[in-house]
Coordinates of all heavy atoms in Angstrom, one line a residue:
M1 N -14.3 18.9 36.9 CA -14.4 20.2 36.4 C -13.8 20.1 34.9 O -12.6 19.8 34.8 CB -13.6 21.2 37.2 CG -13.6 22.6 36.8 SD -12.6 23.6 37.8 CE -13.8 24.4 38.9
P2 N -14.6 20.5 33.9 CA -14.1 20.4 32.6 C -13.0 21.5 32.2 O -13.1 22.6 32.8 CB -15.3 20.6 31.7 CG -16.3 21.3 32.6 CD -15.9 20.9 34.0
F3 N -12.2 21.2 31.3 CA -11.2 22.2 30.8 C -11.9 23.3 30.0 O -12.7 23.0 29.1 CB -10.1 21.5 30.0 CG -9.2 22.5 29.4 CD1 -8.2 23.1 30.1 CD2 -9.2 22.8 28.0 CE1 -7.3 24.0 29.5 CE2 -8.4 23.7 27.4 CZ -7.4 24.3 28.2
V4 N -11.6 24.5 30.3 CA -12.1 25.7 29.6 C -10.9 26.4 29.0 O -10.1 26.9 29.6 CB -12.9 26.6 30.5 CG1 -13.4 27.8 29.8 CG2 -14.0 25.9 31.2
A5 N -10.9 26.5 27.7 CA -9.8 27.2 26.9 C -10.0 28.7 27.1 O -11.1 29.2 27.2 CB -9.9 26.8 25.5
P6 N -8.9 29.4 27.3 CA -8.9 30.8 27.4 C -9.5 31.5 26.1 O -9.3 30.9 25.0 CB -7.5 31.2 27.7 CG -6.7 30.1 27.3 CD -7.5 28.9 27.3
A7 N -10.0 32.6 26.3 CA -10.6 33.3 25.1 C -9.4 33.7 24.2 O -8.4 34.1 24.7 CB -11.4 34.6 25.5
R8 N -9.6 33.6 22.9 CA -8.6 34.0 21.9 C -8.6 35.5 21.8 O -9.6 36.2 21.7 CB -8.8 33.4 20.6 CG -8.7 31.9 20.6 CD -8.8 31.3 19.2 NE -9.5 32.1 18.2 CZ -9.4 31.8 16.9 NH1 -8.8 30.9 16.5 NH2 -10.1 32.6 16.1
T9 N -7.4 36.1 21.8 CA -7.2 37.5 21.5 C -6.8 37.7 20.1 O -5.9 37.0 19.6 CB -6.1 38.1 22.5 OG1 -6.5 37.8 23.8 CG2 -6.0 39.6 22.3
L10 N -7.5 38.5 19.4 CA -7.3 38.7 18.0 C -6.5 40.1 17.8 O -6.8 41.1 18.5 CB -8.6 38.7 17.2 CG -9.4 37.4 17.2 CD1 -10.6 37.6 16.4 CD2 -8.5 36.3 16.7
C11 N -5.7 40.1 16.8 CA -4.9 41.3 16.5 C -5.9 42.3 15.8 O -6.7 42.0 15.0 CB -3.8 41.0 15.5 SG -2.9 42.4 14.8
T12 N -5.8 43.6 16.2 CA -6.7 44.6 15.7 C -6.4 44.9 14.2 O -7.4 45.2 13.5 CB -6.5 45.9 16.5 OG1 -6.7 45.6 17.9 CG2 -7.5 47.0 16.1
K13 N -5.2 44.6 13.8 CA -4.8 45.0 12.4 C -5.1 43.8 11.5 O -5.8 44.0 10.4 CB -3.3 45.3 12.4 CG -2.8 45.6 11.0 CD -2.9 47.0 10.7 CE -2.2 47.3 9.4 NZ -2.0 48.7 9.1
C14 N -4.7 42.6 11.8 CA -4.8 41.5 10.9 C -5.9 40.4 11.3 O -6.1 39.5 10.5 CB -3.5 40.8 10.7 SG -2.9 39.8 12.2
N15 N -6.5 40.6 12.4 CA -7.5 39.7 12.9 C -7.1 38.2 13.1 O -7.9 37.3 13.0 CB -8.8 39.7 12.0 CG -9.5 41.1 12.1 OD1 -9.6 41.6 13.2 ND2 -10.0 41.6 11.0
K16 N -5.8 38.0 13.3 CA -5.3 36.7 13.6 C -5.0 36.6 15.1 O -4.9 37.6 15.8 CB -4.0 36.4 12.8 CG -4.2 36.3 11.3 CD -3.0 35.9 10.6 CE -3.2 35.9 9.1 NZ -2.0 35.7 8.3
T17 N -4.9 35.4 15.6 CA -4.7 35.1 17.0 C -3.4 35.7 17.5 O -2.3 35.6 16.8 CB -4.7 33.6 17.4 OG1 -5.9 33.1 16.9 CG2 -4.5 33.4 18.8
V18 N -3.4 36.5 18.6 CA -2.2 37.0 19.2 C -1.9 36.3 20.5 O -2.8 36.3 21.4 CB -2.4 38.5 19.5 CG1 -1.1 39.1 20.1 CG2 -2.8 39.3 18.2
Y19 N -0.8 35.7 20.6 CA -0.4 35.1 21.9 C 0.3 36.1 22.8 O 0.9 37.1 22.3 CB 0.5 33.9 21.6 CG -0.1 32.8 20.7 CD1 0.1 32.8 19.3 CD2 -1.1 32.0 21.3 CE1 -0.6 31.8 18.6 CE2 -1.8 31.1 20.5 CZ -1.5 31.0 19.2 OH -2.2 30.1 18.4
P20 N 0.2 35.9 24.1 CA 0.7 36.9 25.1 C 2.2 37.3 24.9 O 2.5 38.4 25.1 CB 0.5 36.2 26.4 CG -0.6 35.2 26.2 CD -0.5 34.7 24.8
N21 N 3.0 36.3 24.4 CA 4.4 36.7 24.3 C 4.7 37.5 23.1 O 5.8 38.0 22.9 CB 5.3 35.4 24.3 CG 5.0 34.5 23.1 OD1 3.9 34.5 22.6 ND2 5.9 33.6 22.8
E22 N 3.8 37.7 22.2 CA 4.0 38.5 21.0 C 3.0 39.6 20.8 O 2.9 40.2 19.8 CB 3.9 37.6 19.7 CG 2.6 36.9 19.5 CD 2.5 36.0 18.3 OE1 3.6 35.7 17.8 OE2 1.5 35.7 17.9
S23 N 2.3 40.0 21.9 CA 1.3 41.0 21.8 C 1.8 42.3 22.4 O 2.6 42.4 23.3 CB 0.0 40.6 22.6 OG 0.3 40.5 24.0
I24 N 1.2 43.4 21.8 CA 1.4 44.8 22.3 C 0.0 45.4 22.4 O -0.8 45.4 21.5 CB 2.2 45.6 21.3 CG1 3.6 45.1 21.2 CG2 2.3 47.1 21.8 CD1 4.5 45.8 20.2
R25 N -0.3 45.9 23.6 CA -1.6 46.5 23.8 C -1.4 48.1 23.7 O -0.7 48.7 24.5 CB -2.2 46.2 25.2 CG -2.6 44.8 25.3 CD -3.4 44.4 26.5 NE -4.5 45.3 26.8 CZ -5.7 45.4 26.2 NH1 -6.0 44.5 25.3 NH2 -6.6 46.2 26.6
A26 N -1.9 48.6 22.6 CA -1.8 50.1 22.4 C -3.0 50.5 21.5 O -3.6 49.7 20.8 CB -0.5 50.3 21.6
A27 N -3.2 51.8 21.6 CA -4.3 52.4 20.8 C -5.6 51.7 20.9 O -6.3 51.4 19.9 CB -3.9 52.5 19.3
N28 N -6.0 51.3 22.2 CA -7.2 50.6 22.4 C -7.4 49.3 21.7 O -8.5 48.9 21.3 CB -8.5 51.5 22.2 CG -8.5 52.7 23.2 OD1 -8.1 52.6 24.3 ND2 -9.1 53.8 22.7
G29 N -6.3 48.6 21.5 CA -6.3 47.3 20.8 C -5.1 46.5 21.2 O -4.2 46.9 21.9
T30 N -5.1 45.3 20.6 CA -4.0 44.4 20.8 C -3.5 44.0 19.5 O -4.2 43.7 18.5 CB -4.5 43.0 21.5 OG1 -5.1 43.4 22.7 CG2 -3.4 42.1 21.8
Y31 N -2.1 44.1 19.3 CA -1.4 44.0 18.0 C -0.3 43.0 18.2 O 0.2 42.8 19.2 CB -0.8 45.3 17.6 CG -1.9 46.4 17.3 CD1 -2.3 47.2 18.4 CD2 -2.3 46.7 16.1 CE1 -3.2 48.2 18.1 CE2 -3.2 47.7 15.8 CZ -3.7 48.5 16.8 OH -4.6 49.5 16.6
H32 N 0.0 42.4 17.0 CA 1.3 41.6 16.9 C 2.4 42.7 16.9 O 2.1 43.9 16.5 CB 1.4 40.9 15.6 CG 0.5 39.7 15.5 ND1 -0.6 39.7 14.8 CD2 0.6 38.5 16.1 CE1 -1.2 38.5 14.8 NE2 -0.5 37.7 15.7
K33 N 3.6 42.4 17.3 CA 4.7 43.4 17.3 C 4.9 43.9 15.9 O 5.2 45.1 15.8 CB 6.0 42.7 17.8 CG 5.9 42.4 19.3 CD 7.2 41.8 19.8 CE 7.0 41.4 21.2 NZ 8.2 40.7 21.8
G34 N 4.7 43.1 14.9 CA 4.9 43.6 13.5 C 3.7 44.3 12.9 O 3.8 44.9 11.8
C35 N 2.6 44.2 13.5 CA 1.3 44.8 13.0 C 1.1 46.2 13.5 O 0.3 46.9 13.0 CB 0.1 43.9 13.3 SG 0.0 42.4 12.4
L36 N 1.8 46.6 14.6 CA 1.5 47.9 15.1 C 2.3 48.9 14.3 O 3.5 49.1 14.4 CB 2.0 48.0 16.6 CG 1.8 49.3 17.3 CD1 0.3 49.7 17.3 CD2 2.3 49.3 18.7
K37 N 1.6 49.6 13.4 CA 2.3 50.5 12.4 C 1.5 51.8 12.4 O 0.3 51.9 12.6 CB 2.3 49.9 11.0 CG 3.1 48.6 10.9 CD 3.2 48.1 9.6 CE 4.1 46.9 9.5 NZ 4.5 46.5 8.2
C38 N 2.2 52.9 12.0 CA 1.6 54.2 11.8 C 0.5 54.1 10.8 O 0.6 53.5 9.7 CB 2.6 55.2 11.4 SG 1.9 56.9 11.0
T39 N -0.7 54.7 11.0 CA -1.8 54.7 10.1 C -1.5 55.4 8.8 O -2.0 55.0 7.7 CB -3.0 55.4 10.8 OG1 -3.3 54.8 12.0 CG2 -4.3 55.4 9.9
V40 N -0.6 56.4 8.8 CA -0.3 57.2 7.6 C 0.9 56.6 6.8 O 0.8 56.3 5.6 CB 0.1 58.6 8.0 CG1 0.5 59.4 6.8 CG2 -1.1 59.3 8.7
C41 N 2.1 56.3 7.5 CA 3.3 56.0 6.8 C 3.7 54.5 6.9 O 4.7 54.1 6.3 CB 4.4 56.9 7.2 SG 4.9 56.6 8.9
N42 N 3.0 53.7 7.7 CA 3.3 52.3 8.0 C 4.6 52.0 8.6 O 5.2 51.0 8.5 CB 3.2 51.5 6.7 CG 1.7 51.2 6.3 OD1 0.9 51.1 7.1 ND2 1.5 51.0 5.0
L43 N 5.1 53.0 9.4 CA 6.3 52.8 10.1 C 6.0 51.9 11.3 O 5.0 52.1 12.0 CB 6.8 54.2 10.7 CG 8.0 54.1 11.6 CD1 9.3 53.8 10.8 CD2 8.2 55.5 12.3
T44 N 6.8 50.9 11.5 CA 6.6 50.0 12.7 C 6.8 50.7 14.0 O 7.8 51.4 14.1 CB 7.5 48.7 12.6 OG1 7.3 48.1 11.3 CG2 7.2 47.7 13.7
L45 N 5.9 50.6 14.9 CA 5.9 51.3 16.1 C 6.1 50.4 17.3 O 5.9 49.2 17.2 CB 4.6 52.1 16.3 CG 4.2 53.0 15.2 CD1 2.8 53.6 15.5 CD2 5.2 54.2 15.1
N46 N 6.5 50.9 18.5 CA 6.5 50.2 19.7 C 5.9 51.1 20.7 O 5.3 52.1 20.4 CB 8.0 49.8 20.1 CG 8.9 51.1 20.3 OD1 8.4 52.1 20.7 ND2 10.1 50.9 19.9
L47 N 5.9 50.7 22.0 CA 5.2 51.4 23.0 C 5.7 52.8 23.2 O 5.0 53.7 23.6 CB 5.1 50.7 24.4 CG 4.2 49.4 24.4 CD1 4.3 48.7 25.7 CD2 2.8 49.8 24.1
K48 N 7.0 53.0 23.0 CA 7.6 54.4 23.2 C 7.3 55.3 22.0 O 7.2 56.5 22.2 CB 9.1 54.2 23.3 CG 9.5 53.6 24.6 CD 11.0 53.7 24.8 CE 11.4 53.2 26.1 NZ 12.9 53.3 26.3
T49 N 7.1 54.7 20.8 CA 6.9 55.6 19.6 C 5.5 55.7 19.2 O 5.2 56.5 18.3 CB 7.8 55.1 18.4 OG1 7.4 53.7 18.2 CG2 9.3 55.1 18.8
C50 N 4.6 54.9 19.8 CA 3.2 54.9 19.4 C 2.4 56.0 20.1 O 2.4 56.2 21.3 CB 2.5 53.6 19.7 SG 0.8 53.5 19.2
I51 N 1.7 56.8 19.3 CA 0.8 57.8 19.8 C -0.6 57.5 19.3 O -0.8 57.3 18.1 CB 1.2 59.2 19.3 CG1 2.6 59.5 19.9 CG2 0.3 60.3 19.8 CD1 3.3 60.8 19.3
S52 N -1.5 57.5 20.2 CA -2.9 57.1 19.8 C -3.8 58.3 19.7 O -3.7 59.2 20.5 CB -3.5 56.2 20.9 OG -4.8 55.9 20.7
H53 N -4.6 58.3 18.6 CA -5.5 59.4 18.4 C -6.8 58.7 17.8 O -6.7 58.1 16.7 CB -5.0 60.4 17.4 CG -5.9 61.5 17.1 ND1 -6.2 62.5 18.0 CD2 -6.7 61.8 16.0 CE1 -7.1 63.3 17.5 NE2 -7.4 62.9 16.3
E54 N -7.9 58.9 18.5 CA -9.2 58.2 18.1 C -9.0 56.7 17.8 O -9.4 56.2 16.8 CB -9.8 58.9 16.9 CG -10.1 60.4 17.2 CD -10.8 61.1 16.0 OE1 -10.8 60.5 14.9 OE2 -11.2 62.2 16.2
S55 N -8.3 56.1 18.7 CA -8.0 54.6 18.7 C -7.2 54.1 17.5 O -7.4 53.0 17.1 CB -9.3 53.8 18.8 OG -9.9 54.1 20.1
K56 N -6.4 55.0 16.9 CA -5.6 54.6 15.8 C -4.2 55.0 16.1 O -3.9 56.0 16.7 CB -6.0 55.4 14.5 CG -7.4 55.0 14.0 CD -7.7 55.7 12.7 CE -9.1 55.4 12.2 NZ -9.5 56.2 11.1
P57 N -3.2 54.1 15.8 CA -1.8 54.4 16.1 C -1.2 55.3 15.1 O -1.4 55.2 13.8 CB -1.2 53.0 16.0 CG -2.0 52.2 15.1 CD -3.4 52.8 15.2
Y58 N -0.4 56.2 15.5 CA 0.4 57.2 14.7 C 1.8 57.3 15.2 O 2.1 57.1 16.4 CB -0.3 58.6 14.8 CG -1.6 58.7 14.1 CD1 -2.8 58.5 14.8 CD2 -1.7 58.9 12.7 CE1 -4.0 58.6 14.2 CE2 -3.0 59.0 12.1 CZ -4.1 58.8 12.9 OH -5.3 58.9 12.2
C59 N 2.7 57.7 14.3 CA 4.1 58.0 14.7 C 4.1 59.5 15.1 O 3.1 60.2 14.9 CB 5.1 57.8 13.6 SG 4.8 58.7 12.1
R60 N 5.2 60.0 15.7 CA 5.2 61.4 16.1 C 5.0 62.4 15.0 O 4.5 63.4 15.2 CB 6.5 61.6 16.9 CG 6.7 60.9 18.2 CD 8.0 61.2 18.8 NE 8.2 60.2 19.9 CZ 8.0 60.5 21.2 NH1 7.5 61.6 21.5 NH2 8.2 59.5 22.1
V61 N 5.6 62.0 13.8 CA 5.5 62.9 12.7 C 4.1 63.1 12.2 O 3.6 64.2 11.8 CB 6.4 62.4 11.5 CG1 6.2 63.2 10.3 CG2 7.9 62.4 12.0
H62 N 3.3 62.0 12.2 CA 2.0 62.0 11.5 C 0.8 62.1 12.6 O -0.4 62.0 12.2 CB 1.8 60.8 10.7 CG 2.7 60.8 9.5 ND1 3.7 59.9 9.4 CD2 2.8 61.6 8.4 CE1 4.4 60.2 8.3 NE2 3.8 61.2 7.7
K63 N 1.1 62.4 13.8 CA 0.0 62.5 14.8 C -0.8 63.7 14.4 O -0.3 64.8 14.2 CB 0.6 62.8 16.2 CG -0.4 62.9 17.3 CD 0.2 63.4 18.6 CE -0.7 64.4 19.2 NZ -0.1 65.3 20.0
P64 N -2.2 63.5 14.3 CA -3.0 64.6 13.9 C -3.1 65.7 15.1 O -3.0 65.3 16.3 CB -4.4 64.0 13.8 CG -4.2 62.5 13.7 CD -2.9 62.2 14.4
T65 N -3.1 66.9 14.6 CA -3.2 68.0 15.6 C -4.7 68.3 15.8 O -5.5 68.4 14.8 CB -2.4 69.2 15.2 OG1 -2.9 69.6 13.9 CG2 -0.9 68.9 15.1
V66 N -5.1 68.6 17.0 CA -6.5 68.9 17.3 C -6.5 70.4 17.4 O -5.9 71.0 18.2 CB -6.9 68.3 18.6 CG1 -8.3 68.6 18.9 CG2 -6.8 66.7 18.5
G67 N -7.3 71.0 16.5 CA -7.5 72.5 16.5 C -8.7 72.9 17.3 O -9.5 72.1 17.7
H68 N -8.7 74.1 17.6 CA -9.9 74.7 18.3 C -11.0 74.9 17.4 O -10.9 75.2 16.2 CB -9.5 76.1 18.9 CG -8.4 76.0 19.9 ND1 -8.5 75.4 21.2 CD2 -7.1 76.3 19.8 CE1 -7.4 75.4 21.8 NE2 -6.5 76.0 21.0
T69 N -12.2 74.7 17.9 CA -13.4 75.0 17.1 C -13.7 76.4 17.1 O -13.4 77.2 18.0 CB -14.6 74.2 17.6 OG1 -14.8 74.6 19.0 CG2 -14.3 72.7 17.5
Q70 N -14.4 76.9 16.1 CA -14.8 78.3 16.0 C -16.0 78.5 16.9 O -17.0 77.6 16.8 CB -15.1 78.7 14.6 CG -13.8 78.8 13.7 CD -14.1 79.3 12.3 OE1 -15.3 79.3 11.9 NE2 -13.1 79.7 11.6
V71 N -16.1 79.6 17.6 CA -17.2 79.9 18.4 C -17.9 81.1 17.8 O -17.2 82.1 17.5 CB -16.8 80.2 19.9 CG1 -18.0 80.5 20.7 CG2 -16.1 79.0 20.4
A72 N -19.2 81.0 17.7 CA -19.9 82.2 17.1 C -19.8 83.4 18.1 O -19.9 83.2 19.3 CB -21.4 81.8 16.9
S73 N -19.6 84.5 17.5 CA -19.5 85.7 18.4 C -20.9 86.1 18.8 O -21.8 86.1 18.0 CB -18.8 86.8 17.7 OG -19.5 87.2 16.5
V74 N -21.0 86.5 20.0 CA -22.3 86.9 20.6 C -22.2 88.3 21.0 O -21.3 88.7 21.7 CB -22.7 86.0 21.7 CG1 -24.1 86.4 22.3 CG2 -22.8 84.5 21.3
T75 N -23.1 89.1 20.6 CA -23.1 90.5 21.0 C -24.2 90.7 22.0 O -25.3 90.2 21.9 CB -23.3 91.5 19.8 OG1 -24.5 91.1 19.1 CG2 -22.2 91.3 18.8
D76 N -23.9 91.6 23.0 CA -24.9 91.9 24.0 C -25.8 93.0 23.5 O -25.3 94.0 22.9 CB -24.2 92.3 25.3 CG -23.5 91.2 26.0 OD1 -24.0 90.0 25.8 OD2 -22.5 91.4 26.7
Q77 N -27.0 92.9 23.6 CA -28.0 93.9 23.2 C -28.7 94.4 24.5 O -29.3 93.6 25.2 CB -29.0 93.4 22.2 CG -28.3 93.0 20.9 CD -29.4 92.4 19.9 OE1 -30.6 92.3 20.3 NE2 -28.9 92.2 18.7
S78 N -28.7 95.7 24.7 CA -29.4 96.2 25.9 C -30.8 96.5 25.5 O -31.1 97.0 24.4 CB -28.7 97.4 26.4 OG -28.6 98.4 25.4
A79 N -31.7 96.3 26.4 CA -33.2 96.5 26.1 C -33.6 97.9 26.4 O -33.1 98.6 27.2 CB -34.0 95.5 27.0

């Protein structure tokens, strides 16, 4: 039986190889501990401080707020 090397996991941020002892899985990706940073302010994050929005990491301060969409008003017309 030939040796089969495990698939390489690449960092979502820097596209370099991430080894299991230095990886963090967050925001639908795998990151080096130093590469997991807020999309807005570049604050280094960890699993407790990382908030994911649309597969991007954010800190608590810069997490985008999701607003309600406007709904067109419908008036009833009697026949």
Side-chain angles (χ1 to χ4, degrees):
M1 182 186 261
F3 173 74
V4 177
R8 292 188 338 167
T9 304
L10 298 179
C11 177
T12 306
K13 179 89 172 191
C14 70
N15 291 320
K16 293 182 182 177
T17 302
V18 181
Y19 298 102
N21 62 339
E22 62 181 17
S23 68
I24 296 178
R25 291 192 44 84
N28 293 331
T30 303
Y31 297 86
H32 291 105
K33 291 178 182 176
C35 289
L36 183 60
K37 297 183 178 192
C38 175
T39 304
V40 177
C41 67
N42 283 333
L43 176 72
T44 302
L45 304 171
N46 60 33
L47 288 177
K48 288 186 177 184
T49 58
C50 180
I51 299 171
S52 176
H53 179 73
E54 295 182 354
S55 298
K56 294 181 183 176
Y58 292 94
C59 63
R60 294 179 194 263
V61 174
H62 295 112
K63 179 189 141 208
T65 56
V66 179
H68 298 286
T69 58
Q70 291 183 343
V71 178
S73 61
V74 177
T75 56
D76 290 334
Q77 296 179 354
S78 57

